[in-house]
Amino acid sequence: MSSHLEPSLPHPAAAASARRTLSGIPLGTALKESLLKLRPSTQVRNPVMFTVYVGSMLTTLLWIAGLFGHADAGTGFMFTVAAWLWFTVLFANFAEALAEGRGKQQAAALRGLRTTVIARVVQGVPAGTPTTAEAYRGHVAERPSGSLRKGDIVLVEAGGTIPGDGEIIAGIASVDESAITGESAPVIREAGGDFSSVTGGTRVLSDWIIVQVAANPGESFLDRMIAMVESARRQKTPNEIALNILLVGLTLVFLLVVATLLPFSFFAISAAGQGTAIAITALVALLVCLIPTTIGGLLSAIGVAGMSRMMRANVIATSGRAVEAAGDVDVLLLDKTGTITFGNRQASAFHPAADVLARAACLASQADETPEGRSIAALAARQLGQAPEAAAGAVFVPFSAHTRMSGVDLANRRIRKGAVDAMQAWLAEQGAALPEAVARAADDAGRRGSTPLVVCDGRAALGVVELKDIVKPGMRERFGELRRMGIKTVMITGDNKLTAAAIAAEAGVDDFLAEATPEDKLALIRQYQSEGRLVAMTGDGTNDAPALAQADVAVAMGSGTQAAKEAGNMVDLDSNPTKLLEVVETGKALLMTRGSLTTFSIANDVAKYFAIIPAIFVSTYPQLGALNVMRLASPSSAILSAVIFNALVIVFLIPLALKGVRYRPVGAASLLRRNLAIYGLGGLLVPFIGIKLIDWLLVVVHLV
């Protein structure tokens, strides 16, 4: 592909800005959005704030009527109450607009990563699997990348941009994925195994690959990323819906209570023979101050901000449901290969180190396109001087995740290579058993943390191939943190029990499942779910896809296959399995933020009760003046102070709603005590102080 046909990718710094929350959100844009959100069709989506919205319109109409001599209170008082009620609605809109602004900026930056390239579509794939790019060049036709469809096959060579998401079906290449992941170091992508997935917009730095397109235009990974961060696509989570129902219930209760106060006021005046009727403006002010306007105004912003914080951690969540569920996860299942370990298992030794074993292992690996299979062939070639070739008429048996073996059938020989238990079953079918020496060699390799593979020629077990893998650094510490958070970690692997136990001990996981098939993974997840536990899983391979689809929280590695990413409800662009720690912390922080602000909002009502109730009834019942514990200047000052505080507190809590309450890995009881001490007690005390200060300022500036 000629370089002049392709636009250059954005600088990695631009990609980084797309993936992380942008701090410089224009306030002017947020203010404009706040005004646009005053449409009734928008306000009605939030019942609590819609109540404030209706109250604002009612007090405004009462003020206008007062200007024409039909007032039940002073026009200045009515104007001030109406103005601050509108401010309350605007501040809530502003909080939501700020949170949405982050998502919109992220989406805009991601759209800047889109590139239109000229794709080299292979028309009529050459027979066999050519090993050189030259074999494909005579079969290509150039087309714009926007015209590609799922199933199209394209050739991408060094310097070319991959035109769309897909799977590599031939070749190997070094790929620059910095535009998507922000990681400047190139990665190796090759056909077969769990590292065959490529993302449109990334660049091939060396060699060549044949890619089968896996997504139609508008359905690519980048398109899904944009859709995920667009606040317009956010759906309310179950907990958010439940909290909304609670808030609506509280609003209805206070609405009924306030509605009865007007006839009660007439009755009280008649019975006491003194006093004045409660002004409707004062009743509206009381209603707005008593209903949970603080959490009602910030609820949507909290949800949007949770998605944004997940994006900042380089994790793309499909919905807020996944983020919220992460906060309740108590079981974490991790695939070993590529997740706990680096996943690049390489053949390191033959036991015994005999030419006959090396030759048979190499022949049995010819149909094994996994990196492990190719490493076995490479090790055998080094030991023998050259790779042996199968005789004419050989029938190859490709590697399968279900059989966990590969091999070749020759004229009078059946050679197989696979996992120890799989080969034991294969030998048993032929009336043979695994020799003690071979079993001991496999056990020894397993105790070293390596993966043993047995090679058989007919009924004879020739020996063991040892595969080495390396545990990623820092795993034990991170799993320790998960344990303190009350999360059980379970490693899942197809390795034998000895190897699995060695890796599990080194990584520090709580439990493991060895010799696991895709069906075993599914069964384990369903077992935990049947016990009422929320299960999270990370994975990167096609064989992980069914389990990822079953899990409550499924984090697919960005370096994994397309099938894994499609099955997951989150994608980790850093391909770091311990990233689930950040995912869980973000989920818990989301739940804690919502709970903390709800506690604060409800606790606020106590102070506002002591401010407004005495004010509206003191003319009828002077004894209620004893409830004026804050010694507010006058009834009108008390009502105005409560209304102003009710509006301003939303502004002061916006940073907390966007940033979230910090989660600490402590028990639920400790978290509850802390929540009640800070946000419960704080919610009681702060309004008393705030309302008194506002009252003092109103008196100082002679507004009452």
Side-chain angles (χ1 to χ4, degrees):
M1 190 183 300
S2 303
S3 60
H4 71 277
L5 294 175
E6 302 182 45
S8 59
L9 285 174
H11 191 274
S17 67
R19 294 177 290 99
R20 292 173 171 80
T21 302
L22 304 179
S23 58
I25 301 170
L27 293 180
T29 303
L31 288 171
K32 181 181 177 181
E33 287 293 320
S34 302
L35 294 172
L36 293 175
K37 288 179 178 291
L38 289 175
R39 296 185 297 266
S41 58
T42 303
Q43 290 297 313
V44 77
R45 299 172 187 170
N46 188 334
V48 176
M49 296 313 300
F50 183 69
T51 303
V52 183
Y53 180 75
V54 173
S56 303
M57 290 192 294
L58 177 59
T59 52
T60 302
L61 292 174
L62 290 172
W63 170 67
I64 294 172
L67 295 177
F68 294 93
H70 303 284
D72 62 349
T75 54
F77 172 78
M78 290 192 293
F79 172 79
T80 307
V81 170
W84 278 102
L85 292 183
W86 281 115
F87 281 135
T88 304
V89 177
L90 285 171
F91 291 156
N93 291 350
F94 183 73
E96 186 176 13
L98 274 180
E100 290 179 353
R102 293 182 170 184
K104 290 177 180 178
Q105 285 201 349
Q106 290 165 345
L110 287 169
R111 289 191 185 94
L113 300 180
R114 285 174 169 165
T115 57
T116 300
V117 302
I118 303 301
R120 302 175 72 186
V121 183
V122 180
Q123 298 179 330
V125 180
T129 305
T131 57
T132 63
E134 289 79 6
Y136 291 95
R137 289 177 183 153
H139 301 267
V140 300
E142 293 184 345
R143 283 165 46 190
S145 59
S147 67
L148 295 177
R149 292 296 183 270
K150 188 175 182 179
D152 286 344
I153 296 174
V154 296
L155 167 65
V156 190
E157 296 186 72
T161 299
I162 298 172
D165 296 355
E167 298 282 342
I168 300 174
I169 59 176
I172 179 172
S174 175
V175 180
D176 176 14
E177 296 184 344
S178 61
I180 302 297
T181 67
E183 177 58 55
S184 59
V187 295
I188 301 298
R189 294 287 179 259
E190 56 186 328
D194 295 338
F195 299 94
S196 61
S197 177
V198 290
T199 304
T202 56
R203 186 179 293 278
V204 173
L205 300 179
S206 66
D207 301 293
W208 61 275
I209 50 176
I210 299 295
V211 178
Q212 185 173 34
V213 178
N216 293 321
E219 301 174 359
S220 69
F221 181 64
L222 192 59
D223 291 315
R224 296 204 314 273
M225 286 174 67
I226 294 170
M228 291 170 193
V229 300
E230 286 275 22
S231 60
R233 306 288 183 94
R234 192 185 77 89
Q235 295 181 332
K236 290 184 178 180
T237 64
N239 281 348
E240 190 174 352
I241 293 172
L243 181 57
N244 255 318
I245 294 172
L246 172 63
L247 299 182
V248 170
L250 289 174
T251 301
L252 289 173
V253 169
F254 284 120
L255 182 61
L256 292 173
V257 170
V258 171
T260 62
L261 290 180
L262 186 60
F264 177 78
S265 172
F266 292 131
F267 170 79
I269 293 171
S270 176
Q274 63 179 355
T276 56
I278 301 174
I280 295 177
T281 303
L283 287 177
V284 173
L286 175 64
L287 174 63
V288 170
C289 288
L290 290 183
I291 65 175
T293 52
T294 303
I295 184 62
L298 297 172
L299 189 58
S300 181
I302 294 170
V304 176
M307 297 283 288
S308 184
R309 289 196 297 275
M310 195 64 72
M311 186 71 174
R312 194 165 61 239
N314 235 13
V315 176
I316 307 298
T318 59
S319 72
R321 286 183 173 89
V323 180
E324 190 173 86
D328 293 325
V329 161
D330 50 14
V331 178
L332 168 60
L333 306 184
L334 301 114
D335 184 54
K336 187 204 77 167
T337 305
T339 306
I340 292 176
T341 65
F342 283 106
N344 55 347
R345 293 186 298 183
Q346 301 291 304
S348 61
F350 295 112
H351 306 289
D355 288 353
V356 63
L357 173 59
R359 187 173 290 105
C362 186
L363 290 173
S365 300
Q366 295 298 308
D368 187 355
E369 293 297 323
T370 64
E372 292 88 348
R374 285 191 287 272
S375 75
I376 293 172
L379 178 63
R382 290 196 301 271
Q383 183 168 316
L384 299 171
Q386 62 178 11
E389 295 184 3
V395 179
F396 291 100
V397 180
F399 174 81
S400 165
H402 291 274
T403 64
R404 293 184 297 138
M405 68 170 67
S406 63
V408 60
D409 292 337
L410 305 175
N412 55 356
R413 300 172 64 189
R414 298 175 68 199
I415 302 174
R416 295 292 185 273
K417 173 221 68 187
V420 177
D421 63 313
M423 297 311 300
Q424 285 176 322
W426 192 77
L427 286 171
E429 291 176 0
Q430 303 176 79
L434 193 67
E436 184 179 345
V438 176
R440 188 165 52 251
D443 289 346
D444 291 342
R447 290 190 185 95
R448 291 190 293 271
S450 300
T451 300
L453 300 179
V454 174
V455 180
C456 294
D457 188 349
R459 293 165 52 93
L462 302 180
V464 171
V465 182
E466 182 175 351
L467 304 177
K468 282 189 175 291
D469 204 351
I470 301 173
V471 175
K472 294 180 178 179
M475 297 298 291
R476 176 174 288 276
E477 291 75 14
R478 301 304 296 276
F479 288 142
E481 292 184 53
L482 289 169
R483 193 174 299 110
R484 288 192 295 273
M485 294 166 66
I487 299 173
K488 179 181 180 180
T489 53
V490 182
M491 182 185 76
I492 302 177
T493 177
D495 291 339
N496 64 67
K497 293 181 179 179
L498 286 174
T499 301
I503 296 293
E506 184 179 353
V509 296
D510 297 318
D511 201 358
F512 64 90
L513 177 66
E515 301 172 353
T517 63
E519 291 80 7
D520 293 332
K521 298 178 185 179
L522 267 177
L524 184 62
I525 293 173
R526 288 168 178 167
Q527 177 187 329
Y528 281 120
Q529 289 174 333
S530 67
E531 297 170 0
R533 309 182 77 169
L534 277 179
V535 180
M537 178 178 174
T538 62
D540 60 355
T542 300
N543 63 330
D544 297 324
L548 287 170
Q550 179 67 36
D552 300 290
V553 178
V555 184
M557 301 294 103
S559 62
T561 62
Q562 194 71 23
K565 288 189 273 190
E566 291 287 347
N569 47 30
M570 296 187 189
V571 178
D572 176 21
L573 300 179
D574 295 330
S575 300
N576 179 5
T578 60
K579 183 65 69 64
L580 196 68
L581 179 63
E582 282 82 7
V583 173
V584 171
E585 286 180 343
T586 301
K588 289 185 178 295
L590 175 64
L591 296 175
M592 287 178 59
T593 303
R594 195 179 291 150
S596 298
L597 293 184
T598 301
T599 303
F600 185 89
S601 179
I602 295 174
N604 269 212
D605 291 345
V606 176
K608 289 177 282 190
Y609 170 87
F610 277 99
I612 297 181
I613 291 295
I616 61 178
F617 283 107
V618 72
S619 64
T620 305
Y621 297 109
Q623 297 87 345
L624 289 176
L627 294 178
N628 185 16
V629 294
M630 288 178 278
R631 296 293 180 259
L632 304 178
S634 65
S636 60
S637 172
I639 295 171
L640 286 178
S641 298
V643 171
I644 293 171
F645 175 84
N646 194 64
L648 292 180
V649 74
I650 296 177
V651 178
F652 287 109
L653 290 176
I654 288 176
L656 180 62
L658 297 182
K659 185 179 180 181
V661 175
R662 183 183 176 187
Y663 173 74
R664 293 174 175 81
V666 296
S670 298
L671 286 175
L672 178 61
R673 286 194 297 269
R674 186 174 180 275
N675 179 56
L676 292 175
I678 297 177
Y679 298 98
L681 185 60
L684 286 172
L685 298 178
V686 170
F688 280 96
I689 299 171
I691 291 172
K692 180 61 181 178
L693 286 174
I694 294 171
D695 175 78
W696 177 76
L697 287 172
L698 291 176
V699 173
V700 169
V701 298
H702 303 291
L703 290 179
V704 291

